Amino acid sequence: MNRITQTTRLDHVEHILGSGTGTLDFAIDGENTYHTLDGDEDVDWNVKDVQSIENADEDRFLIFPEKEYFICEIDIESGVVRCWCKESDS
């Protein structure tokens, strides 16, 4: 598991594993471990272009992108997380 400790942008996010406590785990294509953001319940995160959410009523849930991958920007100082899908290049 890779802890996110500085502002970063993650490309090729296959899915996001979230929890009610504010922890977000980002699965990156081609990597075997999650990139983990230890947030809190009040973390400001917004995920757009969602295809589906599994276990939405549970403490741990999976968020899948509408397209192949999410792009996620994480600002550690402000606590803001934004994810979206890239538009097609065609």
Side-chain angles (χ1 to χ4, degrees):
M1 179 177 346
N2 298 313
R3 296 270 178 220
I4 299 170
T5 59
Q6 59 187 0
T7 297
T8 190
R9 177 181 165 129
L10 301 172
D11 294 313
H12 298 103
V13 176
E14 293 180 326
H15 67 269
I16 302 166
L17 177 61
S19 79
T21 61
T23 298
L24 297 174
D25 295 311
F26 301 90
I28 308 295
D29 182 39
E31 296 186 18
N32 294 327
T33 61
Y34 283 105
H35 290 254
T36 300
L37 175 64
D38 293 316
D40 58 41
E41 292 180 32
D42 297 326
V43 70
D44 180 11
W45 56 284
N46 183 357
V47 180
K48 295 182 180 181
D49 305 322
V50 173
Q51 178 184 13
S52 64
I53 300 173
E54 291 182 11
N55 300 325
D57 296 328
E58 303 295 326
D59 182 50
R60 298 288 283 171
F61 51 89
L62 286 162
I63 304 172
F64 294 96
E66 257 180 15
K67 303 203 185 306
E68 194 170 2
Y69 304 110
F70 284 121
I71 297 168
C72 295
E73 291 182 344
I74 298 122
D75 186 326
I76 293 298
E77 290 184 26
S78 68
V80 174
V81 177
R82 298 284 180 254
C83 299
W84 68 93
C85 291
K86 181 180 177 185
E87 289 298 320
S88 170
D89 291 332
S90 56

